[in-house]
Amino acid sequence: MNRISWDQYFMAQSHLLALRSTCTRLTVGATIVRDKRIIAGGYNGSIAGGDHCIDKGCYVIDNHCVRTIHAEMNALLQCAKFGVPTDGAEIYVTHFPCLQCCKAIIQAGIKTVYYAKDYKNHPYALELFEQAGVKVEKVELTEEVIDFRTIHH
Ligand SMILES: [Zn+2]
Ligand SMILES: [Zn+2]
């Protein structure tokens, strides 16, 4: 029996979270991990209790939907809300984070960023990651990992 690798396991979790996204523009999921344990997760969505883009449409300003909180921010804010340290943690995201999220990730003390899909990959973000000593690695999700129908005992 082949065991799923940690990288694939955490990346699969982020893809599962992405399915909860309420913004139709991009479905993103993020999982924060410490010592091989999931400490928080998030997806692209509105403020709790707020209107969802899937119900009311996106609120677009300058080609960005301003209604949603990005998956990475939601995961970090979950840690803030419940008092969970993020220093030295790792984050698994379905897409390369936007510049704002990259800065938040660095400032929260996250030391490694694993992403599955390239998404604009801002050169300034890469520069900031390098300066901060944050490791960035692409980990693609191999699809059979989340196809539970293929599991054999
Ligand atoms: Zn939206
Ligand atoms: Zn972002």
Side-chain angles (χ1 to χ4, degrees), residues 72 93 95-99 101-102 105 113 115 119 121-122 125 129:
E72 305 90 320
V93 282
H95 297 72
F96 190 92
C98 74
L99 195 46
C101 287
C102 286
I105 286 166
V113 176
Y115 68 100
Y119 185 71
N121 303 28
H122 202 290
F129 278 142

Side-chain angles (χ1 to χ4, degrees), residues 39-113:
I39 57 168
Y43 54 84
N44 261 11
S46 308
I47 285 170
D51 291 335
H52 293 322
C53 297
I54 44 170
D55 300 325
K56 305 270 167 145
C58 284
Y59 188 161
V60 180
I61 298 175
D62 294 333
N63 206 31
H64 289 285
C65 177
V66 297
R67 201 192 294 287
T68 51
I69 303 164
H70 289 182
E72 305 90 320
M73 290 302 294
N74 264 325
L76 289 172
L77 290 167
Q78 191 188 328
C79 292
K81 189 172 183 179
F82 298 119
V84 180
T86 49
D87 198 22
E90 303 176 311
I91 194 165
Y92 287 76
V93 282
T94 54
H95 297 72
F96 190 92
C98 74
L99 195 46
Q100 297 303 324
C101 287
C102 286
K103 288 188 285 182
I105 286 166
I106 292 168
Q107 195 73 346
I110 303 269
K111 285 290 171 273
T112 313
V113 176

Side-chain angles (χ1 to χ4, degrees), residues 15 19 23 26 38-39 48-49 62 66 105 108 123 135 140:
H15 281 76
L19 299 176
C23 183
L26 191 65
I38 294 172
I39 57 168
D62 294 333
V66 297
I105 286 166
K135 194 181 122 193
E140 279 174 281

